[in-house]
Amino acid sequence: MRTAPDTMPSTPPRPDAEDALTALIGLVREDLEACNRLILEKMQSPVQLIPQLAAHLIAAGGKRLRPLLTLAAARLCGYRGERHVGLAACVEFIHTATLLHDDVVDESDLRRGQASANAVFGNQASVLVGDFLFARAFQLMVADGSLEVLDILCSAAATIAEGEVLQLVIQNDTSSTEAQYLDVIEGKTAALFAAATRVGAVVADRPRIEAEALDSYGRNLGIAFQLVDDALDYSAEQERLGKTVGDDFREGKITLPVLLAFARGDETERAFWRRVLEEREQGEDDLAHALALMQRHRAFDDTIARARHYGDQALAALQGFPDCAEKQALMDIVEFCIARAR
C-alpha cells in the first residue's frame, strides 16, 4: 500500500457528500452525547489550568471524527453495549494530546481558526496537559479491561509518536522519498483512524477478518484524510477552514505536493525548493511562486487523485459488511473527507 496506479478508477462523488458528517452524527447521536459527557468528566482536575486549557480546546470546535468512527464501527458490527463510548473518548484524548504536542513542535499560533493552546497558555502547559490527556486515555483503556483493546490503542499511540519523529527527520530534506512521506502519514494520522475503527469490531466480539477489514478501512481513510490536508495547505480553501495558507511551506515540511512539484521540475525549480525548504530562506513572494509551480505540475490535483485511490481502498474494505445505515454512513464519510478539497 505505497502508490496508486494511474489506472485506478475513482469513486464518483456523492451529491450529498457535504451532509455525510451530519448523517453519521445523527446515527450515533446518543452514543456521541455520552462520549462528550465522559470527555468533559475526564478533563476535570483540581489543578485548574488543566480544565481551563481543555475548555479552550473544546471551544475551538472539532468534528470528533475519530470517536465517531469508533461509535459507528461498533454499531456496524451489531454491538449494543456501552464499552465503545469509553473507547471513543479514549481515541479523542489520544488525538487531542497529539494536537497539543504538534502545535508546540510546529510553533503554531492557530488551531481551527483560533489561537492555539500554546499561544494562549504557553508551551510548557500545552505539553504537560497533553501528557495528562494521554494518561486519561490509558486510564480509559485499562477500565475497558480488554488486553486486545489495550494492545491496539497503545500500539497506535506509539506509532503516532514514531510518525511524528520521522516527520522531524525528513523535514526540510528535499531528497526525502514518497515512501518516507507515506510512512509519516501512516504513522501520525492513519494509525489512529485504523485503531478507532478496529476496536469497534473487537468490542462486538466479531471475527478477526471483520476487525482487519475495519482496520483497513480506517487506515486507508486516514491516509486519504492526510493527503487532502496536505494539499489544502497550498489551497485557498484553507482560509475557509480557518487555517493559514502555506503553514507547511513556512515550516519546511515535506509533503506529497512538494515531492511531486520537486520531482517534475527542472534544476532551476529544484534549486528554489532547496532554498526555501532546506535553507529556509523565504521571501514574501516565495509562497506564491511555490503555488505556481504546484499548479504547473498538477501537484495539487494529483495529490487529491491519490487521496481518491486510498478512499476507494477504504470503500472496498467495507464491502463484506451487510448493507445498513451505519455502513452507508461510513462510506459517505470517505467522500466527505476528500470533498474538503473542493
Side-chain angles (χ1 to χ4, degrees), residues 51-68:
Q52 286 173 6
L53 196 149
H56 176 82
L57 290 173
I58 293 172
K63 296 179 286 292
R64 291 275 200 271
L65 179 57
R66 292 154 188 82
L68 279 168

Side-chain angles (χ1 to χ4, degrees), residues 37-57:
R37 288 194 297 270
L38 183 58
I39 287 171
L40 287 171
E41 175 190 331
K42 296 299 182 182
M43 279 183 166
Q44 298 309 305
S45 167
V47 180
Q48 285 304 306
L49 181 57
I50 293 174
Q52 286 173 6
L53 196 149
H56 176 82
L57 290 173

Side-chain angles (χ1 to χ4, degrees), residues 187-216:
K188 76 171 193 173
T189 302
L192 188 57
F193 274 76
T197 47
R198 187 179 190 114
V199 296
V202 173
V203 297
D205 198 25
R206 300 303 300 163
R208 185 175 184 86
I209 190 171
E210 292 188 14
E212 290 177 348
L214 283 171
D215 184 293
S216 178

Side-chain angles (χ1 to χ4, degrees), residues 43-341:
M43 279 183 166
Q44 298 309 305
S45 167
V47 180
Q48 285 304 306
L49 181 57
I50 293 174
Q52 286 173 6
L53 196 149
H56 176 82
L57 290 173
I58 293 172
K63 296 179 286 292
R64 291 275 200 271
L65 179 57
R66 292 154 188 82
L68 279 168
L69 293 175
T70 298
L71 299 174
R75 292 306 190 198
L76 173 67
C77 292
Y79 183 65
R80 293 296 179 263
E82 298 179 355
R83 289 172 59 197
H84 64 320
V85 172
L87 295 178
C90 172
V91 166
E92 183 68 2
F93 278 135
I94 293 173
H95 174 57
T96 305
T98 62
L99 293 184
L100 283 171
H101 290 167
D102 286 352
D103 284 345
V104 171
V105 171
D106 296 339
E107 299 179 346
S108 299
D109 293 326
L110 290 176
R111 167 65 61 185
R112 297 168 184 149
Q114 297 189 22
S116 61
N118 53 299
V120 175
F121 297 95
N123 288 338
Q124 293 173 320
S126 292
V127 169
L128 293 173
V129 173
D131 291 344
F132 172 84
L133 296 182
F134 269 126
R136 282 288 195 239
F138 289 119
Q139 287 178 326
L140 288 166
M141 293 179 216
V142 172
D144 179 73
S146 166
L147 285 177
E148 185 175 5
V149 165
L150 186 64
D151 180 53
I152 291 168
L153 292 171
C154 284
S155 295
T159 301
I160 292 167
E162 289 173 339
E164 295 289 357
V165 173
L166 180 57
Q167 181 169 262
L168 281 178
V169 170
I170 71 171
Q171 191 162 312
N172 313 118
D173 185 358
T174 57
S175 68
S176 301
T177 66
E178 186 175 325
Q180 288 176 311
Y181 165 74
L182 287 171
D183 283 341
V184 167
I185 64 174
E186 284 189 38
K188 76 171 193 173
T189 302
L192 188 57
F193 274 76
T197 47
R198 187 179 190 114
V199 296
V202 173
V203 297
D205 198 25
R206 300 303 300 163
R208 185 175 184 86
I209 190 171
E210 292 188 14
E212 290 177 348
L214 283 171
D215 184 293
S216 178
Y217 166 81
R219 193 172 306 278
N220 282 286
L221 176 63
I223 294 172
F225 184 92
Q226 190 61 53
L227 282 165
V228 172
D229 257 15
D230 290 347
L232 282 173
D233 193 70
Y234 294 94
S235 165
E237 282 294 290
Q238 284 290 79
E239 295 178 4
R240 184 179 65 80
L241 296 171
K243 301 178 182 178
T244 308
V245 176
D247 278 347
D248 288 352
F249 177 79
R250 283 181 282 273
E251 293 164 13
K253 288 185 179 177
I254 304 299
T255 59
L256 187 59
V258 170
L259 289 171
L260 293 177
F262 183 85
R264 296 169 182 177
D266 57 28
E267 189 50 43
T268 299
E269 292 172 5
R270 293 181 184 182
F272 163 80
W273 288 113
R274 292 189 188 100
R275 173 175 64 80
V276 297
L277 297 179
E278 292 186 358
E279 300 170 19
R280 303 293 298 279
E281 293 181 5
Q282 298 181 6
E284 62 178 284
D285 297 326
D286 284 337
L287 176 58
H289 185 57
L291 295 174
L293 293 179
M294 288 182 176
Q295 186 74 18
R296 179 185 305 170
H297 296 298
R298 294 185 54 82
F300 180 87
D301 290 344
D302 288 350
T303 297
I304 300 305
R306 191 71 58 85
R308 281 217 170 270
H309 161 69
Y310 286 107
D312 288 338
Q313 297 290 84
L315 293 174
L318 293 178
Q319 293 313 302
F321 292 92
D323 292 339
C324 61
E326 288 82 6
K327 177 180 176 179
Q328 189 60 60
L330 288 170
M331 293 175 68
D332 290 346
I333 280 295
V334 175
E335 179 59 28
F336 165 80
C337 289
I338 296 171
R340 296 175 302 144

